[in-house]
């Protein structure tokens, strides 16, 4: 049971990456069949709002904090960052490139989130400490592995399940034009920037409004309204883009995307309170590994040696980040326990009427207990 409780954050974030990987593959196929990224984002958030709102209304009716205008304004801005700006740029960039390339480029997200969290004081970095060095170096290694996986092709690895199969709506890196590649890369990087802004702002909002379900419902509802307005503004006069209610991959992308969105936003809020913003984004490179494997099964994409090497480097980087985070988490937890114990001791002393000043002997004892700790520092 203790192992399961410790593993909850890791299992949750891995589950998020797996669902996102399936979503990327389904969305790529749907957009290839003509689904507009603007419509995909708007309608999937509408589905997410419908699914999550009843749970927020019922489960948090007695614990929901009071809503103020400053908090509501921050939530409106939060919903604009993600999914309206972030996902529209992400899926539009995917149209110009491929699913694997898009997810690979998104591995700059941990570096962006780490730097922004450091700037805004959400992530404590002490260069002299080993756990901080591990987090910095692990982020660099993970991003470097993503670049290896993207740009180092290597020899083809023959897999039994891909022999004799051709890719479905698949575009290799050599088929992409340079202009499309650059345009897609710029959009994906911009989407990652807004995604990092979302992660940081969500961490701030949860401190003053600690209701994950209600926050998720508000983000999904507001973003669906903003997404519909944006879609009508950009695609005005083009009513065909809203024809997605046939039982095909377009409808699947909208419904499954809504389920993924409401689940992922709630998990992100929970993880943000547990482990912080960098922990949430540090698993993003894992999504690229999952995409590469699933694409080889579902889209018959070929695996190359460079991608396998890059995936291995990513795993090494992730272990370095998680090792640093676990060391930092255990240290902060033990410090909190010591502070709580000292505070309880003082309160018990006051309740028992023990308000006398310590004797010279006890003062010497306390001083002797503290001195080795100071010397060790």
């Amino acid at each position: 049971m203790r192992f399961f409780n410790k593993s909850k954050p890791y299992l949750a974030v891995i589950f998020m990456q797996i669902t996102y990987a399936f979503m990327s593959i389904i969305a790529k196929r749907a957009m290839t069949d003509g689904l507009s990224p603007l419509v995909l984002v708007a309608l999937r958030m509408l589905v997410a709002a419908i699914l999550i709102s009843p749970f927020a209304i019922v489960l948090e009716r007695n614990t929901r904090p009071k809503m103020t205008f400053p908090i509501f304004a921050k939530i409106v801005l939060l919903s604009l960052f993600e999914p309206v700006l972030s996902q529209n740029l992400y899926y539009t960039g995917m149209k110009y490139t491929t699913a694997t390339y898009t997810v690979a480029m998104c591995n700059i997200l941990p570096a962006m989130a780490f730097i922004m969290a450091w700037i805004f004081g959400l992530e404590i970095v002490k260069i002299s400490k080993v756990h901080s060095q591990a987090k910095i170096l692990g982020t660099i290694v993970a991003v470097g592995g993503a670049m290896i996986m993207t740009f180092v092709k290597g020899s083809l690895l023959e897999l039994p399940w891909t022999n004799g199969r051709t890719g479905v709506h698949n575009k290799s890196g050599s088929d992409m034009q340079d202009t499309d590649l650059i345009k897609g890369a710029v959009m994906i990087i911009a989407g990652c920037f807004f995604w990092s802004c979302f992660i940081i702002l969500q961490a701030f909002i949860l401190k003053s409004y600690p209701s994950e379900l209600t926050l998720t419902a508000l983000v999904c509802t507001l973003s669906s309204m903003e997404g519909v307005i944006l879609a009508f503004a950009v695609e005005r006069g083009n009513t065909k883009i809203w024809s997605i209610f046939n039982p095909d991959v377009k409808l699947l992308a909208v419904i499954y995307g809504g389920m993924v969105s409401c689940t992922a936003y709630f998990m992100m809020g929970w993880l943000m309170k547990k482990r912080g913003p960098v922990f949430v984004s540090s698993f993003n490179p894992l999504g690229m590994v999952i995409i590469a494997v699933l694409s080889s099964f579902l889209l018959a994409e070929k695996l190359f040696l460079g991608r396998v090497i890059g995936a291995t480097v990513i795993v090494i980087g992730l272990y370095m980040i998680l090792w640093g985070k676990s060391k930092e988490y255990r240290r902060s937890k033990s410090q909190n326990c010591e502070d709580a114990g000292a505070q309880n001791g003082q309160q018990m002393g006051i309740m028992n009427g023990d308000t006398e000043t310590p004797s010279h002997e006890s003062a010497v004892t306390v001083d002797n207990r503290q001195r080795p700790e100071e010397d060790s520092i």
Side-chain angles (χ1 to χ4, degrees):
M1 182 62 68
R2 185 179 178 184
F3 173 79
F4 178 74
N5 291 331
K6 287 185 177 181
S7 303
K8 278 183 181 179
Y10 301 96
L11 295 175
V13 78
I14 290 172
F15 175 77
M16 284 171 53
Q17 292 299 328
I18 293 173
T19 55
Y20 271 131
F22 277 106
M23 182 62 223
S24 296
I25 294 175
I26 295 172
K28 177 62 178 178
R29 177 63 183 270
M31 288 187 295
T32 304
D33 290 350
L35 179 62
S36 170
L38 296 169
V39 174
L40 173 61
V41 173
L43 294 184
R44 70 179 279 190
M45 297 317 299
L46 180 61
V47 172
I50 294 172
L51 292 175
I52 197 67
S53 295
F55 293 97
I57 294 171
V58 174
L59 297 179
E60 292 184 344
R61 64 184 181 276
N62 297 324
T63 60
R64 189 181 299 112
K66 182 181 178 181
M67 177 64 68
T68 62
F69 180 77
I71 294 176
F72 183 75
K74 291 177 183 178
I75 295 175
V76 172
L77 183 61
L78 184 72
S79 64
L80 185 64
F81 284 153
E82 162 64 28
V84 177
L85 293 176
S86 176
Q87 288 191 22
N88 276 304
L89 289 167
Y90 175 87
Y91 287 121
T92 305
M94 185 185 291
K95 284 188 68 175
Y96 287 106
T97 57
T98 64
T100 303
Y101 181 86
T102 302
V103 177
M105 286 297 296
C106 284
N107 286 286
I108 62 172
L109 178 63
M112 283 187 176
F114 179 76
I115 293 171
M116 293 180 70
W118 188 1
I119 292 173
F120 288 102
L122 294 174
E123 189 72 18
I124 299 174
V125 177
K126 297 179 180 179
I127 304 298
S128 60
K129 300 296 182 181
V130 177
H131 62 82
S132 293
Q133 296 173 0
K135 290 190 293 185
I136 295 171
L137 187 59
T139 300
I140 296 172
V141 170
V143 174
M147 297 302 102
I148 293 173
M149 194 173 178
T150 305
F151 300 111
V152 179
K153 190 174 182 179
S155 58
L156 176 64
L157 298 178
E158 295 291 344
L159 302 176
W161 57 84
T162 59
N163 288 336
R165 295 176 60 194
T166 57
V168 181
H169 299 288
N170 191 33
K171 185 192 290 184
S172 64
S174 59
D175 295 332
M176 291 185 291
Q177 298 180 3
D178 291 339
T179 55
D180 289 345
L181 190 65
I182 294 173
K183 191 184 298 184
V186 170
M187 289 182 176
I188 295 165
I189 292 173
C192 288
F193 171 76
F194 287 115
W195 179 251
S196 300
C197 293
F198 171 86
I199 292 174
I200 301 301
L201 183 57
Q202 186 185 33
F204 278 111
I205 292 175
L206 284 170
K207 291 182 179 180
S208 56
Y209 196 80
S211 295
E212 296 92 340
L213 278 173
T214 303
L215 180 60
T216 302
L218 287 171
V219 168
C220 293
T221 303
L222 292 170
S223 61
S224 64
M225 296 167 59
E226 294 164 353
V228 169
I229 293 172
L230 181 63
F232 273 114
V234 175
E235 301 282 356
R236 56 183 178 275
N238 186 11
T239 58
K240 294 182 179 180
I241 62 171
W242 300 97
S243 302
I244 56 103
F245 297 103
N246 296 320
D248 55 11
V249 70
K250 298 179 186 178
L251 185 61
L252 176 63
V254 170
I255 296 176
Y256 179 75
M259 295 170 61
V260 170
S261 295
C262 64
T263 305
Y265 289 154
F266 171 73
M267 285 187 175
M268 281 183 61
W270 179 74
L271 287 167
M272 204 80 67
K273 292 173 67 175
K274 289 284 185 181
R275 294 299 181 89
V278 175
F279 180 85
V280 176
S281 62
S282 64
F283 276 84
N284 199 63
L286 184 62
M288 183 182 56
V289 180
I290 299 172
I291 277 281
V293 175
L294 290 179
S295 296
S296 68
F297 278 100
L298 303 178
L299 301 178
E301 285 189 356
K302 304 296 183 181
L303 278 180
F304 296 90
L305 181 60
R307 292 182 180 177
V308 175
I309 295 174
T312 305
V313 175
I314 288 172
V315 172
I316 294 173
L318 278 175
Y319 273 113
M320 294 174 68
I321 295 172
L322 295 177
W323 182 85
K325 289 296 294 181
S326 63
K327 285 287 184 182
E328 182 184 54
Y329 179 72
R330 284 197 293 266
R331 178 172 297 183
S332 63
K333 192 173 181 180
S334 62
Q335 183 65 37
N336 291 336
C337 292
E338 291 177 1
D339 294 342
Q343 186 176 3
N344 291 334
Q346 293 176 358
Q347 291 176 354
M348 290 297 294
I350 293 173
M351 292 174 63
N352 295 329
D354 186 12
T355 58
E356 297 180 359
T357 57
S359 63
H360 176 72
E361 183 179 355
S362 62
V364 171
T365 304
V366 173
D367 184 66
N368 289 333
R369 287 178 183 175
Q370 292 178 348
R371 188 167 299 163
E373 187 176 358
E374 293 174 356
D375 294 339
S376 63
I377 295 175

